Amino acid sequence: MVVVHGVSLTPGVLVSSFPLPPLSSSNARSLNSTVSFFLKKRPLSRKIFAGNQSAKFNSKSQAVSKKVLVPDNVDDGASLVTDDALQGPSSVSQAPQILNLESQTMEEDGTVITEDQASVSVNSSRVVKEKEVKPRTVPPPGNGQIIYEIDPMLQSYKDHLDYRYKQYRRLREEIDKYEGGLEAFSRGYEKLGFLRSDAGITYREWAPGAKSASLIGDFNNWNPNADIMTRNEFGVWEIFLPNNTDGSPAIPHGSRVKIRMDTPSGIKDSIPAWIKFSVQAPGEIPFNGIYYDPPEEEKYVFKHPQPKRPKSLRIYESHVGMSSTEPMINTYANFRDDVLPRIKKLGYNAVQIMAIQEHSYYASFGYHVTNFFAPSSRCGTPEDLKSLIDRAHELGMIVLMDIVHSHASKNTLDGLNMFDGTDAHYFHPGPRGYHWMWDSRLFNYGSWEVLRYLLSNARWWLEEYKFDGFRFDGVTSMMYTHHGLSVGFTGNYTEYFGLETDVDAVNYLMLVNDMIHGLYPEAVTVGEDVSGMPTFCIPVQDGGVGFDYRLHMAIADKWIEILKKRDEDWKMGDIIYTLTNRRWSEKCIAYAESHDQALVGDKTIAFWLMDKDMYDFMAVDRPSTPLVDRGIALHKMIRLITMGLGGEGYLNFMGNEFGHPEWIDFPRGEQRLSDGSVIPGNNFSYDKCRRRFDLGDADYLRYHGLQEFDRAMQNLEEKYGFMTSEHLFISRKDEGDRVIVFERGDLVFVFNFHWTSSYFDYRIGCSKPGKYKIVLDSDDPLFGGFGRLDRTAEYFTFEGSYDGRPSSFMVYTPCRTAVVYALADRDDGLETLGPKP
């Protein structure tokens, strides 16, 4: 999540601070009625325009801790780490709303085959003849009891956990009963929104609070009386628009559309909730929904298979809009052609892209979503995004989407807020549905239609765009009614399993993880959770929440805390404890710093270390300064020890690999707060909303050495796979020498954090006897170091126990260096030192 300066541009157009979401557990829930909602059986069967629409219609829209068993031994002792009630579907409708469109199956590409073999595919006019396809299914729930075998301490909270799992099983049973299973339930985009068939276009929208509704747009000159919609007993509005006499669709591709409703809050024009594309007209603030259905010849066809899930996940976190070296909003096409090859060359195997879902306020970093099914139009078209993802797959990298299901924009003009004129449509009513810090709305995860919407949204991005998984934003906020605000999680289990836990939200997370992993076994899910919720990364069938990884968020905060201290005050044990403080058997993604540290108002690690000296003393042909020398040395050490000890995966935010010299400041204007104070803007400048990749590429600058070291780290992991090894043994954490020694996999890591002391003939323990060689040396001149070690030297082990290890060898460890050793029989380990041809 990111903290941004809020700027309210217009009534109903919000800007917030942090990414946040919903709440609590409503226990007294039952689904007594079993009324189905059958839509009328109909024969279901084009240039993007963003001009000013105000002349065409008069809108009266209203703004209405992961604990790993690490013995805390003495400074040079050995620390062993063995990695060895659904609220009836909503307050409006008291029964599940089943959208029954005949018996259906689905192809791998998402095509729906009905009994009469007519294809009902979103935004598609294809007809599939005489083809039988077996639908994918989500396996049934397990017994949810394995968690007690994994962690016997959970037995004390069995009542809560069993209740949670019982609620989950009940949800699955109701979905099976009323919706035909989770696989069908998660295809809501084939039942709601715009649906194209041979005969015409059907549009459906769930808006139970509306008194009347009509579809308006360029296609009917924004006439609210031209295309009146009908409502069924469950609050779903529908209209069918037959093709024109010449066979063309009634709504041309690229034209603007909205739904006009008479609501309890007055007449309101809204962008359809399931819209697949929206754009902002020049000179306007609200966005316009776009009917997106390009002709077949313009649709992007994926050419490359999706890679298998990497065993060792190395994520390059990125933001397409600010990925240019120029002060501009970059495009999907430029990112595809310029940035993806860079990421591949650096050695990462996963790209995590932020700000994909459309958000009306650019400076929200993508966390105030307005249109959940639409990719941000600032960077290009949906076809451009598909081309980007396909190119990443061609390069062998998976693509993760930073998905926001934790909260939504408060905008009423172009978002979901007050969509049908009521406060309790998609969100909790009243204070429970509003996040005061983020100034955003909070979903009601106990609502049937909210579950349909969010589950379908996750599936849409996997199905339509071929994303390979998600990083779920703000999960801590979702799981607790207090949202994690002003709560210091200590690891006491009572903090996780009590009345402040939002069981509805946890059940949704279990549903979405089960759906994703059931239908897309290779997909990856990462949850942003700072609380350390036990069972977070245990499969749902075993009783867990179901994520593959948790972001190890405490690490970045710890590094900032440490960097504010003098070198003499750094504690080796404190560093080790933070890096290894995670739950056994639940995998983590480690990172030294994220996009949060790069934002204006905060400082990156490089800036904490070198500050203004980065502007004048980074040329390699000019004298350095003690501040720069220290900064470059510690920057490399911090990143390597984070990767070595912090988790089973690694993440870097773009530009951090070479110590990006400046912060991120999105274009924004002056903001006047209600108390009269003023937050200054930056005259809507893009100057700090970009990435200076040219600095990392310039071999005459010291940034280049940092970038090459990051590349060497990725190559080291690619070759040795130490992050995913079950063997992790910390043999030394010496507070006097400021030395840390540990084994991870087949490698021995030696860190000397002392600011002046270098040690000759320093003995270190190891598990395997033999001849060792250096495979990575942070002091190598290639990485901006001083070259104090001989890369060709060989190190022979001694017999006899040392630091709790069966063997040992002697090394030279210069001050402020990190060196990695491997057995020499692993052949060409030295390749990891530098760039590969």
Side-chain angles (χ1 to χ4, degrees):
M1 230 36 301
V2 58
V3 181
V4 292
H5 291 91
V7 181
S8 181
L9 299 179
T10 186
V13 178
L14 304 233
V15 184
S16 72
S17 283
F18 239 87
L20 219 60
L23 339 318
S24 84
S25 51
S26 303
N27 300 336
R29 307 198 176 180
S30 62
L31 287 171
N32 297 323
S33 61
T34 57
V35 182
S36 285
F37 139 32
F38 290 86
L39 295 175
K40 296 178 182 179
K41 180 179 178 182
R42 298 184 186 274
L44 296 178
S45 282
R46 276 189 164 279
K47 192 164 178 169
I48 301 300
F49 177 68
N52 191 307
Q53 68 184 40
S54 59
K56 295 197 175 184
F57 73 102
N58 179 24
S59 171
K60 296 182 180 179
S61 302
Q62 299 181 10
V64 220
S65 292
K66 210 171 185 181
K67 308 289 181 191
V68 182
L69 303 176
V70 184
D72 190 11
N73 294 356
V74 293
D75 290 344
D76 60 348
S79 295
L80 176 63
V81 181
T82 52
D83 272 351
D84 275 327
L86 185 61
Q87 203 173 19
S90 80
S91 58
V92 176
S93 152
Q94 296 306 314
Q97 303 176 9
I98 293 84
L99 295 153
N100 191 325
L101 290 180
E102 300 281 283
S103 173
Q104 299 175 340
T105 57
M106 189 184 70
E107 293 187 82
E108 288 297 315
D109 65 357
T111 302
V112 179
I113 313 299
T114 63
E115 287 179 340
D116 62 357
Q117 305 302 320
S119 173
V120 184
S121 180
V122 177
N123 293 334
S124 172
S125 58
R126 289 178 299 166
V127 176
V128 181
K129 303 277 189 185
E130 304 303 326
K131 187 172 182 179
E132 293 183 4
V133 182
K134 183 178 180 180
R136 287 176 283 185
T137 59
V138 180
N143 59 18
Q145 299 298 299
I146 304 300
I147 53 175
Y148 304 117
E149 300 176 18
I150 296 173
D151 184 358
M153 289 178 62
L154 294 174
Q155 287 283 355
S156 300
Y157 304 88
K158 199 173 189 303
D159 288 345
H160 177 100
L161 290 164
D162 283 354
Y163 169 77
R164 182 178 85 180
Y165 205 75
K166 179 182 178 181
Q167 293 296 95
Y168 170 74
R169 290 181 64 94
R170 185 177 63 81
L171 266 176
R172 287 290 304 270
E173 290 169 2
E174 298 291 353
I175 291 171
D176 289 347
K177 179 178 180 180
Y178 296 114
E179 298 284 354
L182 192 53
E183 191 279 332
F185 190 46
S186 61
R187 286 190 277 120
Y189 47 79
E190 294 175 354
K191 302 170 182 177
L192 290 155
F194 290 96
L195 310 171
R196 174 80 183 282
S197 70
D198 286 342
I201 298 169
T202 299
Y203 169 56
R204 300 189 186 101
E205 195 75 74
W206 176 61
K211 305 171 188 176
S212 65
S214 63
L215 182 61
I216 58 176
D218 294 328
F219 73 100
N220 64 7
N221 293 317
W222 302 94
N223 182 355
N225 299 314
D227 294 290
I228 306 297
M229 303 179 71
T230 59
R231 180 191 192 276
N232 70 8
E233 67 269 37
F234 297 99
V236 173
W237 297 87
E238 176 180 348
I239 189 170
F240 176 73
L241 302 175
N243 290 336
N244 298 321
T245 55
D246 62 357
S248 62
I251 308 177
H253 162 61
S255 59
R256 298 168 300 170
V257 290
K258 284 191 175 182
I259 178 173
R260 172 166 290 189
M261 293 173 284
D262 182 5
T263 78
S265 302
I267 301 298
K268 184 177 188 294
D269 295 340
S270 297
I271 294 178
W274 298 73
I275 201 74
K276 304 307 187 297
F277 197 48
S278 64
V279 300
Q280 187 178 37
E284 291 189 355
I285 292 175
F287 276 57
N288 294 295
I290 298 295
Y291 177 72
Y292 193 83
D293 184 19
E296 291 298 322
E297 63 271 17
E298 295 181 14
K299 292 181 179 179
Y300 187 83
V301 178
F302 287 90
K303 305 174 183 64
H304 305 284
Q306 294 177 247
K308 297 293 185 182
R309 177 203 302 224
K311 180 181 179 183
S312 170
L313 193 60
R314 303 188 301 278
I315 304 171
Y316 194 84
E317 184 184 23
S318 54
H319 183 290
V320 172
M322 52 167 288
S323 64
S324 172
T325 58
E326 301 300 322
M328 57 178 277
I329 297 179
N330 208 14
T331 65
Y332 297 126
N334 288 344
F335 188 93
R336 175 197 65 205
D337 298 337
D338 301 334
V339 183
L340 285 180
R342 166 184 299 279
I343 299 171
K344 177 66 176 179
K345 183 179 179 182
L346 285 170
Y348 291 86
N349 56 25
V351 185
Q352 179 178 303
I353 308 180
M354 306 171 64
I356 290 295
Q357 294 166 292
E358 189 60 87
H359 47 291
S360 63
Y361 186 54
Y362 189 46
S364 75
F365 227 144
Y367 290 119
H368 272 195
V369 176
T370 46
N371 309 121
F372 282 78
F373 287 82
S376 179
S377 58
R378 294 177 181 86
C379 302
T381 68
E383 311 312 306
D384 294 334
L385 176 57
K386 293 175 184 178
S387 175
L388 182 163
I389 295 170
D390 199 26
R391 173 59 174 154
H393 291 164
E394 181 185 9
L395 293 171
M397 298 184 291
I398 68 169
V399 186
L400 305 179
M401 175 179 164
D402 196 345
I403 196 168
V404 184
H405 283 180
S406 49
H407 65 146
S409 170
K410 200 179 71 173
N411 290 14
T412 58
L413 299 181
D414 44 24
L416 294 179
N417 188 27
M418 302 290 292
F419 183 84
D420 68 349
T422 66
D423 188 43
H425 187 199
Y426 284 95
F427 311 109
H428 285 291
R432 187 182 178 192
Y434 174 72
H435 192 279
W436 61 268
M437 177 177 283
W438 293 344
D439 198 20
S440 56
R441 294 304 309 269
L442 303 176
F443 286 106
N444 176 7
Y445 302 102
S447 164
W448 192 267
E449 290 306 311
V450 169
L451 292 179
R452 186 198 307 277
Y453 187 81
L454 295 177
L455 288 169
S456 299
N457 184 243
R459 181 157 183 193
W460 169 255
W461 295 106
L462 297 173
E463 194 75 32
E464 181 71 12
Y465 289 88
K466 309 301 181 188
F467 277 98
D468 302 285
F470 301 106
R471 177 265 202 185
F472 278 83
D473 169 71
V475 174
T476 302
S477 172
M478 297 174 70
M479 295 192 298
Y480 307 97
T481 57
H482 53 59
H483 308 306
L485 299 176
S486 303
V487 176
F489 290 98
T490 65
N492 188 314
Y493 280 23
T494 59
E495 298 168 344
Y496 308 116
F497 310 121
L499 296 178
E500 292 179 320
T501 302
D502 186 344
V503 174
D504 287 339
V506 175
N507 279 167
Y508 165 68
L509 293 172
M510 295 166 71
L511 279 172
V512 74
N513 273 301
D514 228 8
M515 183 271 291
I516 291 170
H517 292 125
L519 300 178
Y520 308 90
E522 293 296 322
V524 177
T525 61
V526 181
E528 186 196 38
D529 171 44
V530 71
S531 74
M533 163 76 81
T535 76
F536 190 77
C537 293
I538 294 176
V540 175
Q541 63 182 7
D542 296 336
V545 182
F547 284 98
D548 295 307
Y549 297 89
R550 168 193 279 115
L551 283 181
H552 200 337
M553 300 175 68
I555 298 176
D557 292 337
K558 174 58 68 173
W559 283 124
I560 299 304
E561 175 189 319
I562 291 174
L563 288 171
K564 294 178 181 178
K565 301 177 180 179
R566 303 178 308 157
D567 288 18
E568 295 88 336
D569 297 325
W570 288 26
K571 301 297 183 184
M572 302 301 101
D574 191 26
I575 293 173
I576 288 175
Y577 176 79
T578 300
L579 291 172
T580 58
N581 181 27
R582 57 188 188 273
R583 296 185 60 79
W584 176 75
S585 82
E586 299 191 39
K587 295 185 290 187
C588 280
I589 301 292
Y591 55 97
E593 54 187 337
S594 73
H595 57 259
D596 288 334
Q597 282 75 38
L599 286 169
V600 64
D602 208 333
K603 295 167 69 172
T604 62
I605 287 177
F607 235 126
W608 277 108
L609 290 168
M610 294 177 277
D611 204 63
K612 64 181 185 299
D613 279 19
M614 296 179 73
Y615 291 104
D616 300 312
F617 301 99
M618 295 298 280
V620 297
D621 61 348
R622 297 181 183 179
S624 180
T625 67
L627 201 62
V628 168
D629 289 343
R630 172 182 180 268
I632 289 177
L634 290 178
H635 195 273
K636 292 177 287 187
M637 296 180 71
I638 287 170
R639 303 180 81 75
L640 182 59
I641 198 170
T642 298
M643 188 181 204
L645 279 180
E648 292 70 37
Y650 181 76
L651 177 144
N652 171 70
F653 179 68
M654 62 176 184
N656 286 347
E657 70 273 9
F658 58 86
H660 200 283
E662 291 182 329
W663 52 90
I664 301 166
D665 191 6
F666 278 84
R668 53 191 171 84
E670 179 181 272
Q671 181 185 13
R672 296 184 178 276
L673 303 181
S674 57
D675 61 3
S677 60
V678 176
I679 298 177
N682 61 11
N683 294 319
F684 297 99
S685 170
Y686 287 87
D687 185 62
K688 297 294 189 294
C689 196
R690 54 177 173 153
R691 296 285 85 180
R692 293 294 306 275
F693 292 124
D694 54 312
L695 300 178
D697 293 342
D699 56 10
Y700 54 86
L701 296 177
R702 291 184 168 88
Y703 297 106
H704 183 69
L706 296 178
Q707 180 169 279
E708 287 302 311
F709 184 75
D710 194 85
R711 183 180 177 188
M713 289 198 316
Q714 312 310 317
N715 290 338
L716 184 72
E717 167 58 23
E718 179 69 21
K719 180 179 177 63
Y720 290 96
F722 57 88
M723 285 195 302
T724 56
S725 172
E726 294 185 354
H727 177 66
L728 170 56
F729 193 97
I730 300 167
S731 59
R732 178 171 290 266
K733 45 180 179 178
D734 194 308
E735 300 292 356
D737 292 346
R738 297 298 202 277
V739 171
I740 294 173
V741 180
F742 63 87
E743 301 164 19
R744 189 88 188 260
D746 294 332
L747 302 178
V748 179
F749 293 75
V750 180
F751 290 81
N752 180 359
F753 280 97
H754 204 284
W755 49 99
T756 57
S757 296
S758 301
Y759 306 108
F760 292 91
D761 296 333
Y762 199 84
R763 192 173 181 184
I764 60 173
C766 60
S767 60
K768 297 180 180 179
K771 180 175 68 175
Y772 284 79
K773 283 189 175 183
I774 295 173
V775 291
L776 183 60
D777 168 22
S778 71
D779 199 46
D780 193 290
L782 176 65
F783 311 135
F786 296 100
R788 289 169 288 179
L789 288 168
D790 180 2
R791 288 167 44 184
T792 65
E794 298 176 336
Y795 304 83
F796 295 87
T797 58
F798 303 92
E799 293 183 2
S801 176
Y802 186 77
D803 277 352
R805 312 312 290 140
S807 301
S808 61
F809 57 96
M810 311 288 280
V811 300
Y812 169 49
T813 174
C815 60
R816 288 185 180 143
T817 61
V819 184
V820 184
Y821 299 88
L823 284 168
D825 59 12
R826 282 296 301 263
D827 55 41
D828 54 2
L830 290 176
E831 279 188 359
T832 59
L833 275 171
K836 294 184 178 181

